[in-house]
Structure formats: structure tokens, C-alpha cells
């Protein structure tokens, strides 16, 4: 936003939007690379991969959305849901796991710096960046292909719930006080715990999916991606 607007004074919302855009861009780029490796290059998917990143403008994001809608409609007309191989699913989950690592690193850095004021911009950015990545992780896990196996399905449900909890974490004001303080807590530390839980659940899902994929086929999830309110 222009420097003279009130929007330019915000810290949480821009961090949330940028982190989400960065995560979405990385995932779309990975799917594009996987499609290309399978000999299925798609112009709309390639366009979206170029347009979405942490520095994307509103115009670029809307153009990327249009490209992805076109891609989705074309796939629907073909009555062909994208089906991931076990290797592709592992790469997708590994990427989501890397978002947890990045969020944990940022949160640890912010929560370790406790100054004279419990309200800290860096902690706010770290918490809301983690929320943005958590939202992307939740939606992608909800929509990706997964093994038709009871253990894998259970692990998937646990991962979805863990990422949902991180995406829904919404303190009125982000405090960066002492973790054991009697008045001001440390929301960065709380978010770090939620992200840690999500990371562990994602790794469990990855392990369960890998084990299930050996004897079983990978199928597309029937559950549509839903927004976290």
C-alpha cells in the first residue's frame, strides 16, 4: 500500500498475505515441475507459477487466480482429476513440512527477543506469517491426492486438524512477553507450539502415505478444499 495510507501502517495483514502468497507460489511451482516431468506441460499452470510469489501485486494474484480457474475447468471438462504418484505426494508434503520449519525459525527468533514492550512488530509478523502458511498447508493437504488406506487417512485427518488449529490461531493483539508471565503472555511461543504440532502431524502423514503407497494406489481426495473461518 502507498506510504500515506493507513493500510501501510499494518503489520499482521501484509505478513499474512505475503507468506500465504509465497507458500501458494511454491506449491504451484512444484506441481508445475511435477507435471512437466511427466510430460504434461500446461500453459495456465506455468503462468500461475510465474505470477505468484511473496512480492506479487494484486493484479498479478488476480491473473494467477484466473489462470488456475482455467486450468481447473479444463481438467473438469476432461473428467480427469490430477492424480499424484507416491513420489509426487512425498515432494508436496515435504514442501509443506519446510513451511513449518521456516515458521518455527521466524517464531523462535522473534520470541527470543523480549524488549521493554510486550507488543512487538517482529512477533506480530512471525505469528501472522505462520498463519498464512498454515492456511495454505491446510487447503493443499485437504485437496491433494492421498493413499486409500485407513492409517494414511487417519494421519491425514490429524494433519488437517493440526494445520487448522494453527490457521485459526487469532489473538486480538500479539503479545511478546515472557512465556510464563502472569499478565502478558507470548503468542509467538503459542504459535510455535501449534506449528510444531502441525509439523509432526505432517511428517506422520508423509510416513503413513509412503508406507501405504507400496501396496495400494494413490487416489484423489473426494473432500473439496474448504476455507478456515
Amino acid at each position: 500500500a502507498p506510504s500515506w495510507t493507513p493500510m501501510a501502517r499494518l503489520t499482521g495483514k501484509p505478513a499474512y498475505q505475503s507468506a500465504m502468497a509465497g507458500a501458494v507460489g511454491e506449491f504451484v511451482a512444484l506441481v508445475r515441475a511435477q507435471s512437466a516431468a511427466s510430460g504434461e506441460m500446461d500453459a495456465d499452470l506455468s503462468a500461475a507459477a510465474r505470477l505468484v510469489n511473496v512480492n506479487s501485486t494484486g493484479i498479478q494474484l488476480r491473473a494467477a487466480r484466473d489462470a488456475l480457474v482455467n486450468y481447473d475447468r479444463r481438467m473438469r471438462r476432461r473428467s480427469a482429476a490430477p492424480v499424484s504418484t507416491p513420489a509426487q505426494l512425498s515432494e508436496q508434503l515435504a514442501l509443506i513440512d519446510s513451511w513449518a520449519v521456516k515458521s518455527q525459525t521466524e517464531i523462535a527468533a522473534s520470541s527470543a527477543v523480549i524488549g521493554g514492550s510486550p507488543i512487538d512488530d517482529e512477533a506480530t509478523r512471525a505469528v501472522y506469517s505462520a498463519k498464512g502458511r498454515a492456511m495454505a498447508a491446510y487447503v493443499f493437504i485437504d485437496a491433494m491426492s492421498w493413499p486409500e488406506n485407513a492409517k494414511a487417512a487417519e494421519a491425514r485427518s490429524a494433519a488437517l486438524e493440526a494445520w487448522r488449529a494453527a490457521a485459526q490461531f487469532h489473538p486480538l493483539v500479539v503479545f511478546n512477553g515472557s512465556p510464563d508471565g502472569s499478565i502478558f503472555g507470548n503468542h509467538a511461543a503459542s504459535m510455535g507450539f501449534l506449528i510444531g504440532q502441525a509439523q509432526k502431524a505432517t511428517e506422520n502423514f508423509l510416513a503413513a502415505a509412503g508406507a501405504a503407497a507400496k501396496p495400494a494406489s494413490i487416489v484423489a481426495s473426494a473432500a473439496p478444499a474448504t476455507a478456515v473461518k
Side-chain angles (χ1 to χ4, degrees):
S3 60
W4 51 269
T5 63
M7 183 74 74
R9 303 286 297 178
L10 298 177
T11 53
K13 185 176 181 179
Y16 178 81
Q17 292 174 327
S18 294
M20 184 189 294
V24 170
E26 290 175 359
F27 196 90
V28 172
L30 173 60
V31 173
R32 176 200 168 278
Q34 291 176 338
S35 298
S38 302
E40 300 176 356
M41 286 291 294
D42 185 273
D44 286 318
L45 203 56
S46 297
R50 291 194 302 270
L51 290 166
V52 186
N53 57 67
V54 294
N55 298 313
S56 294
T57 64
I59 294 175
Q60 289 174 320
L61 291 176
R62 285 188 288 272
R65 177 190 179 279
D66 290 343
L68 290 173
V69 167
N70 290 337
Y71 171 74
D72 182 66
R73 287 174 177 169
R74 189 163 55 256
M75 296 300 293
R76 288 176 183 272
R77 285 197 298 269
R78 295 175 184 172
S79 298
V83 179
S84 299
T85 66
Q88 289 173 336
L89 177 62
S90 295
E91 289 178 343
Q92 292 167 8
L93 289 172
L95 175 61
I96 291 174
D97 185 74
S98 74
W99 298 343
V101 173
K102 185 173 184 178
S103 293
Q104 288 276 47
T105 300
E106 293 177 358
I107 288 168
S110 67
S111 62
V113 181
I114 301 175
S117 172
I119 300 177
D120 179 75
D121 285 350
E122 288 305 314
T124 300
R125 292 189 186 93
V127 167
Y128 276 88
S129 292
K131 276 176 60 69
R133 297 185 193 103
M135 173 65 87
Y138 173 83
V139 171
F140 284 130
I141 290 177
D142 191 37
M144 68 173 49
S145 302
W146 53 286
E148 196 173 39
N149 173 276
K151 289 186 177 179
E154 182 179 355
R156 173 181 176 271
S157 296
L160 279 171
E161 186 56 36
W163 282 111
R164 182 203 296 267
Q168 288 182 328
F169 182 70
H170 185 63
L172 184 61
V173 177
V174 175
F175 289 125
N176 195 34
S178 174
D180 58 354
S182 57
I183 299 179
F184 297 111
N186 191 306
H187 289 120
S190 298
M191 176 58 94
F193 171 78
L194 293 174
I195 293 296
Q197 295 289 96
Q199 181 179 10
K200 178 62 176 175
T202 301
E203 292 171 351
N204 289 342
F205 180 30
L206 177 57
K214 294 177 182 178
S217 61
I218 299 291
V219 300
S221 169
T226 55
V228 179
K229 297 183 180 178

